[in-house]
């Protein structure tokens, strides 16, 4: 059955691969962007998830064009790495405001319609860093760990209404976000990955479409690592 899917930050990187995977299986897919426009074949809506009014307006537009959002993929995220002693409070709160509060804004807006429909799927894109931490990533790790608590609380609140909330935790994926890392850091990561390589964004998308499918209807509050074994043994 075709669903209405909204992927935040679906204009590039992992979000784009997820949006394309849903579109390929026949779903009605909308992506948010911050001004770049939507890739061909996807319905785009401009939205900065740090702005509650913009989030509300984006959902209203998607609802008018494609129907109520049945599957939310809260994917949009940023990094702003630096060591703890150098990290300003602004650097900390800015990352939290996008990755965690931004996802909260979208999940809250989506869940009101999901409650009415008595069906919904919320998938948060976290990170292995949210599970195990990362040097220079106190802000990012805190934001991504928060998504786990949020998914599990939503599960307890809304699970009985046929709304599931899960977390996908990618490891080291080939996107703009990782392309900016120094080569030495990239090499170090690759050495630590049992599968011996980074992943393509498409390799994250499968876990997300599966979590939204009927076959995963009894899975909620789960964290699915897509990390080539990077987090194993922690
Ligand atoms: P990219 O940097 O390639 O893309 C980030 C996306 O988030 C863009 O679409 C960007 O929009 C959007 N975005 C950022 N800030 C906002 C905002 N305030 N409002 C709306 N959209 C925003 O990242 P990836 O594709 O690599 O990452 C996607 C998700 O996966 C992120 O949450 C990231 O933390 C997570 N992740 C990535 C990993 C990796 O190795 N790449 C590993 C683990 C997790 P715009 O184009 O307008 O900037």
């Amino acid at each position: 059955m075709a669903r209405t899917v909204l992927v935040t930050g679906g204009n590039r990187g992992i979000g784009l691969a997820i949006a394309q995977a849903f579109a390929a299986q026949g779903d009605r897919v909308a992506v948010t962007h911050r001004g770049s426009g939507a890739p061909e074949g996807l319905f785009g809506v401009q939205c900065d998830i740090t702005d509650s009014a913009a989030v509300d307006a984006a959902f209203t537009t998607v609802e008018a064009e494609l129907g109520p959002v049945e599957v939310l993929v809260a994917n949009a995220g940023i990094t702003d790495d630096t060591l703890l002693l150098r990290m300003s409070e602004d650097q900390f709160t800015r990352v939290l405001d996008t990755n965690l509060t931004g996802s909260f804004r979208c999940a809250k807006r989506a869940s009101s319609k999901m409650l009415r429909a008595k069906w919904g799927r919320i998938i948060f894109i976290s990170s292995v860093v949210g599970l195990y931490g990362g040097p220079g990533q106190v802000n990012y790790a805190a934001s991504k760990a928060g998504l786990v608590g949020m998914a599990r609380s939503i599960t307890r609140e809304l699970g009985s209404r046929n709304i599931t909330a899960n977390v996908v935790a990618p490891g080291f994926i080939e996107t703009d976000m990782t392309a900016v890392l120094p080569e030495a850091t990239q090499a170090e990561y690759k050495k630590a990955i049992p599968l011996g390589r980074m992943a393509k964004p498409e390799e994250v998308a499968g876990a997300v479409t599966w979590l939204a499918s009927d076959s995963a209807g009894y899975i909620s509050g789960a964290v699915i690592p897509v990390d080539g074994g990077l987090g194993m043994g922690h």
Side-chain angles (χ1 to χ4, degrees), residues 197-219:
R197 62 174 179 87
M198 294 173 75
K200 303 270 179 219
E202 293 72 23
E203 295 181 276
V204 179
V208 179
T209 52
W210 174 69
L211 280 170
S213 73
D214 287 338
S215 13
Y218 199 58
I219 295 172

Side-chain angles (χ1 to χ4, degrees), residues 72 74 103-104 107 122-126 147 150-151 154 165-169:
L72 167 69
S103 298
F104 154 77
I122 299 172
I123 297 141
F124 296 109
I125 306 302
S126 175
L147 294 174
M150 198 147 70
I154 292 171
N166 289 290
V167 170
V168 169

Side-chain angles (χ1 to χ4, degrees), residues 9 11-14 34 47-50 75-78 98 125-127 140 144 170-173 175-178:
N11 56 318
R12 61 190 171 98
I14 294 172
R34 285 186 299 176
C47 175
D48 184 327
I49 60 165
T50 63
N75 162 81
I78 56 169
T98 300
I125 306 302
S126 175
S127 165
Y140 184 74
K144 293 298 188 180
F172 197 35
I173 320 296
T175 68
D176 298 342
M177 187 176 271
T178 46

